[in-house]
Amino acid sequence: MNHTTTNVIERGDHRLVCDLVTPGARVLDIGCGDGALLDLLVRERQVDGRGMELSQAGVNACVARGLSVVQGDADRDLADYPDDAFDFVILSQTLQATYAPRQVLRELLRIGANVIVSFPNFGHWRNRLQLMFEGRMPVTDYLPYSWYDTPNIHFCTIRDFVLMCDEVDAKMEKAMALNARGEPVGFTAPWWVWNLIGEQALFLLKR
């Protein structure tokens, strides 16, 4: 599925992802949008980069940047890739828009030696307060959609994702809680603290 946040020239989490990727690596960016992250990786890490994007507009924008991107759906098309096809597979702000997140994660771990996943944390304290005091699905700057028109179909918390990683036997190499600008929260804390204060999360996984 296509990711649901609007790309800018360089998001804070894009820089963090770039720092995790080995120079010259084979990379697949799933839900790559207009190609901002993939373009950054090609320019600064000289990766052999490929992309998959659901929307035709996104594919066109990527091709205009000179990127190798195909139109595809993470829920259906990852099965077409062979085992260990890439050094890094990236799913940036897309997990919550997939129909079968656990199966998608399994496919990522199959086709990539390293998997980078980022997503909005529905367990953030502002979301909890909106549910508690207003009794309505949260609408924030980072989650701007109303419940009836959101493209996000499987919200999760940081805690939910950690438990899913355990279920699919994914090894967490690195984990970060991020603020709305995609910057690390700046200190190490137990999962329950990150689950409360992190507006986003970023994970580096191995099978």
Side-chain angles (χ1 to χ4, degrees):
M1 298 292 292
N2 184 29
H3 65 69
T4 59
T5 56
T6 302
N7 282 318
V8 294
I9 296 301
E10 184 181 313
R11 296 194 326 229
D13 59 316
H14 284 182
R15 174 57 51 185
L16 295 172
V17 170
C18 187
D19 291 343
L20 293 173
V21 173
T22 305
R26 297 168 299 158
V27 174
L28 175 64
D29 184 7
I30 301 165
C32 57
D34 66 3
L37 173 57
L38 192 56
D39 183 59
L40 179 67
L41 290 168
V42 170
R43 286 186 289 106
E44 299 206 1
R45 291 306 211 200
Q46 294 77 50
V47 303
D48 178 6
R50 302 287 184 270
M52 177 191 291
E53 168 59 28
L54 183 63
S55 73
Q56 186 60 58
V59 173
N60 293 344
C62 291
V63 172
R65 291 178 183 262
L67 301 170
S68 178
V69 173
V70 298
Q71 190 168 21
D73 187 330
D75 281 299
R76 296 194 305 264
D77 299 325
L78 293 178
D80 295 335
Y81 290 95
D83 296 354
D84 298 310
F86 298 93
D87 301 310
F88 288 84
V89 179
I90 300 167
L91 193 71
S92 176
Q93 303 298 331
T94 303
L95 182 71
Q96 72 281 357
T98 62
Y99 284 99
R102 185 169 61 175
Q103 182 57 34
V104 168
L105 184 57
R106 284 193 174 116
E107 288 293 310
L108 301 182
L109 292 164
R110 180 184 63 81
I111 66 178
N114 301 275
V115 173
I116 299 173
V117 180
S118 66
F119 56 90
N121 174 34
F122 201 68
H124 185 262
W125 65 268
R126 287 195 185 93
N127 296 336
R128 301 186 193 205
L129 287 180
Q130 284 194 35
L131 282 169
M132 180 180 295
F133 293 110
E134 298 180 22
R136 301 179 59 188
M137 287 296 289
V139 176
T140 66
D141 290 341
Y142 194 66
L143 298 171
Y145 302 98
S146 296
W147 67 269
Y148 51 80
D149 65 359
T150 179
N152 299 314
I153 57 178
H154 279 119
F155 281 123
C156 72
T157 69
I158 292 176
R159 178 62 175 161
D160 287 326
F161 185 77
V162 170
L163 291 174
M164 186 170 70
C165 287
D166 290 339
E167 291 178 12
V168 301
D169 294 323
K171 179 183 178 183
M172 285 181 285
E173 294 288 303
K174 290 187 179 180
M176 288 176 264
L178 314 177
N179 61 25
R181 296 182 298 277
E183 302 163 344
V185 296
F187 57 89
T188 302
W191 285 119
W192 71 268
V193 176
W194 276 9
N195 204 28
L196 190 63
I197 66 173
E199 294 187 68
Q200 309 176 56
L202 178 66
F203 286 79
L204 172 63
L205 309 172
K206 291 181 181 289
R207 71 175 72 96

